[in-house]
Amino acid sequence: MKIQISSFWKIVEKKGILLVFIITLTAFVSVDVYEVKIHLDYPVIGGVVTGDEPHYLAVTSEIIQRHNVYMDEYFSHQDPKLIWPHVYYNNSAYWESFQRDDGHWMMGGGPGVSFMLVPGYAVAGVFGALVTMSALSSLTSVFIYKFTSNLSTPKIGFLTTIIFSFSTLLFTWSNQIYPDVVITLFLIVILYVIFEKNQNNVHMAAAGALVGFGFFLKIFFIILDLALIPLVFLLLLTHKINLKNFMVFLSFFIILTSLAIINNIYMYHSLVGGAEARLSLGAITPLHFLLNPPFSNGYSGYGVFGGGDTKTWAIPELIEIFFGKYHGLFIFSPVVMLSVLGIKSVLNKNRLLLTTIIIISALDIGSYTWMNPISSMDAIDSPFRYFLPTIPLMTIPFALGLQKFSKNWIYRILISIFSVIGASFVFSFSFIGGRLAECCYNPIKGNLVHTIYQGFDFILPSIGPLSHPENHPFNSYNQIFVIVMIIMLSIGVLIPFFLKDKSKQVTKIV
């Protein structure tokens, strides 16, 4: 048995990238097959394929059939490959679009995902589109493996990749048609190139192009540029990137950004894009931030779409998105919490990398919480969709923590329990409850949480809108649970700082 295991790790060392891609793509495509079967059994697909945003596939269909991007054209000519609920065809309010000054209805978000889906959809319709997203998600796993293997070992990198690919909700989002899935891949690739391949001008050109392409996906992703552009400039100043590679990166970033602006002018008659883009850009300007601080009353951001209270819910939202019964990242993917044990190791290896991870995570989570503070409590948002880009970043401290504590029996118990819990939700959302089971306050999801946590879900907060039946006061059980979890996470960060590093101990020769 030991010989077989040893042989397997030798294969991982030699063919790890290919192995990761095959394993993850096979698993992700199995979900595609299942969902297409649902589509065949129930032709009205609605949210089964694209959640609550139909415009990505609709525009892809229009590009192929009539070579334009008009939503009104699509909904006036039903595509047999893509049948929506009847109400979509008669009510433009469901199109996630806005009317241009010439009368045409345009998609509210960026067109990047729609263009990326064209080849797959042209060949195999909805299934082809799903497989396209699955392939992109498999590439995310590949770069998780490459990055973590470089920082640790191929064995640790492989284990980290498999755990995060199958025991976090990265799996359930692996084929969903949202720009957040694509930017998740882009971000891990960009950071990998900047920190591991920055001496290669071809790689830096690719990184610059990917940063610029973010504008095609979603205007909100400009928030990531606030960390990435200064990062590359800092590396130039510290002579870790030469001037030539810096200019290559910057040139491709400017080229792609300029193309995105030209596209916006053509499609939306606007420099920044559609109505959703203009609102996003307005919401993240420093002036708007100063006028609407996140912890004051009088909120006026995305949350108005949910029809909820205009008071800022920033602090309750933070509790809900991390520990909430219906949205909590640490509830549905608890293995992510173990990343805190590797923070010191990342600090020792590359302080700038750790700083970058913290800044990007804070920008991503903080900005969405601020812009849309009642989203997870009032809108029908699935668990941490907006925070997908930060999940692969957590694999870096996780891998180094795994390398340091893998022989500790307490750590082994925790990683086993947390992985099983996460995998249980992944399997349930993908094959039992179906995609719509992810939506907030869904009874199916409530039952899954109750079953998987064996009835202990009564301690989990559920800070919903006051009008929602699932809402209940933030009682003492909830408060104790949140306080204990925060204390444990804090201890997890501090523990490695108080442990002796055996690798640095000098053996005394008698």
Side-chain angles (χ1 to χ4, degrees):
M1 183 66 179
K2 289 183 178 180
I3 295 176
Q4 291 178 344
I5 294 175
S6 177
S7 300
F8 175 76
W9 291 124
K10 288 181 180 179
I11 295 174
V12 169
E13 290 180 0
K14 294 180 179 179
K15 302 290 184 181
I17 294 175
L18 181 61
L19 196 60
V20 166
F21 185 76
I22 291 174
I23 291 173
T24 54
L25 185 62
T26 300
F28 297 160
V29 171
S30 68
V31 180
D32 301 339
V33 174
Y34 172 76
E35 291 190 348
V36 168
K37 181 180 183 303
I38 292 178
H39 172 52
L40 293 176
D41 292 341
Y42 306 95
V44 177
I45 60 174
V48 175
V49 172
T50 61
D52 60 346
E53 299 184 7
H55 53 277
Y56 295 113
L57 272 182
V59 170
T60 298
S61 172
E62 271 303 287
I63 293 171
I64 295 171
Q65 292 191 89
R66 279 172 285 277
H67 311 295
N68 64 48
V69 290
Y70 303 141
M71 298 291 290
D72 50 311
E73 291 285 338
Y74 171 80
F75 283 104
S76 63
H77 300 86
Q78 182 171 299
D79 180 359
K81 293 182 180 179
L82 190 64
I83 302 174
W84 294 95
H86 185 70
V87 66
Y88 277 81
Y89 295 94
N90 299 318
N91 189 344
S92 58
Y94 288 91
W95 299 354
E96 292 287 330
S97 60
F98 74 101
Q99 193 169 25
R100 205 168 61 178
D101 51 12
D102 62 359
H104 282 300
W105 287 83
M106 310 297 298
M107 66 187 304
V113 174
S114 296
F115 281 100
M116 294 175 71
L117 295 176
V118 166
Y121 188 88
V123 173
V126 172
F127 180 70
L130 295 177
V131 170
T132 299
M133 300 303 291
S134 293
L136 295 174
S137 296
S138 292
L139 289 176
T140 300
S141 297
V142 166
F143 278 92
I144 288 175
Y145 171 75
K146 287 174 68 67
F147 211 158
T148 54
S149 294
N150 282 9
L151 293 172
S152 56
T153 66
K155 180 178 179 180
I156 293 297
F158 182 81
L159 289 173
T160 297
T161 304
I162 294 301
I163 290 171
F164 268 71
S165 296
F166 293 94
S167 292
T168 71
L169 291 183
L170 283 177
F171 187 103
T172 57
W173 285 94
S174 63
N175 65 349
Q176 298 194 28
I177 300 172
Y178 285 101
D180 311 85
V181 179
V182 181
I183 202 66
T184 299
L185 167 62
F186 284 7
L187 184 57
I188 191 69
V189 172
I190 291 166
L191 289 186
Y192 173 75
V193 168
I194 289 175
F195 283 99
E196 300 293 328
K197 300 291 183 180
N198 56 45
Q199 299 305 313
N200 185 302
N201 54 16
V202 175
H203 285 96
M204 290 302 290
L210 291 180
V211 175
F213 195 81
F215 288 93
F216 281 101
L217 297 173
K218 197 173 189 179
I219 194 67
F220 173 78
F221 296 147
I222 191 177
I223 201 76
L224 301 177
D225 297 349
L226 299 180
L228 295 173
I229 302 300
L231 168 64
V232 178
F233 186 68
L234 179 61
L235 291 174
L236 172 68
L237 294 179
T238 56
H239 306 291
K240 294 180 180 179
I241 293 180
N242 60 45
L243 180 60
K244 178 183 177 182
N245 286 344
F246 173 78
M247 294 307 297
V248 167
F249 174 90
L250 192 62
S251 298
F252 276 84
F253 166 72
I254 292 173
I255 290 171
L256 267 292
T257 301
S258 300
L259 290 175
I261 293 174
I262 293 171
N263 176 79
N264 289 339
I265 294 173
Y266 170 74
M267 286 183 62
Y268 306 113
H269 298 174
S270 165
L271 289 176
V272 297
E276 178 182 319
R278 290 194 290 273
L279 181 57
S280 282
L281 191 61
I284 61 177
T285 58
L287 179 61
H288 188 93
F289 178 79
L290 292 173
L291 296 177
N292 297 275
F295 299 107
S296 66
N297 292 333
Y299 175 75
S300 60
Y302 274 178
V304 296
F305 292 136
D309 193 345
T310 57
K311 291 182 179 180
T312 299
W313 284 65
I315 294 178
E317 169 83 345
L318 285 173
I319 294 173
E320 178 68 20
I321 62 178
F322 286 114
F323 305 108
K325 176 179 178 180
Y326 289 90
H327 298 88
L329 168 61
F330 297 148
I331 302 306
F332 293 94
S333 301
V335 76
V336 176
M337 289 190 290
L338 296 179
S339 296
V340 299
L341 293 171
I343 288 177
K344 184 198 173 188
S345 298
V346 182
L347 181 66
N348 291 339
K349 275 187 175 290
N350 193 325
R351 182 170 298 183
L352 184 58
L353 174 58
L354 178 62
T355 303
T356 302
I357 292 172
I358 292 173
I359 291 175
I360 289 177
S361 299
L363 283 172
D364 186 26
I365 296 174
S367 298
Y368 264 121
T369 303
W370 161 51
M371 288 172 59
N372 197 6
I374 60 175
S375 174
S376 67
M377 294 174 286
D378 196 40
I380 307 179
D381 277 344
S382 301
F384 76 88
R385 163 193 159 191
Y386 298 134
F387 312 139
L388 280 175
T390 66
I391 305 305
L393 304 188
M394 297 299 103
T395 63
I396 295 169
F398 178 88
L400 296 179
L402 175 61
Q403 186 177 33
K404 188 178 185 67
F405 294 99
S406 59
K407 295 182 180 180
N408 184 289
W409 65 271
I410 297 177
Y411 183 87
R412 288 186 174 189
I413 291 174
L414 288 176
I415 199 171
S416 298
I417 294 174
F418 291 168
S419 296
V420 169
I421 290 173
S424 298
F425 281 114
V426 163
F427 182 82
S428 299
F429 287 148
S430 299
F431 296 105
I432 299 177
R435 172 171 307 192
L436 295 181
E438 289 184 42
C439 294
C440 72
Y441 307 117
N442 188 302
I444 298 176
K445 183 162 69 172
N447 291 334
L448 286 173
V449 174
H450 182 77
T451 301
I452 292 172
Y453 279 98
Q454 294 294 300
F456 285 98
D457 55 300
F458 72 92
I459 65 175
L460 306 180
S462 177
I463 314 176
L466 298 179
S467 60
H468 200 283
E470 283 289 343
N471 172 266
H472 58 76
F474 192 48
N475 59 38
S476 57
Y477 293 109
N478 304 153
Q479 295 170 16
I480 292 172
F481 171 73
V482 172
I483 291 172
V484 169
M485 293 301 295
I486 292 175
I487 291 174
M488 295 301 293
L489 287 170
S490 301
I491 292 174
V493 173
L494 295 175
I495 281 177
F497 288 90
F498 292 97
L499 293 177
K500 292 183 179 180
D501 190 344
K502 296 181 180 180
S503 64
K504 293 182 180 180
Q505 291 181 6
V506 178
T507 303
K508 185 176 181 180
I509 302 175
V510 180

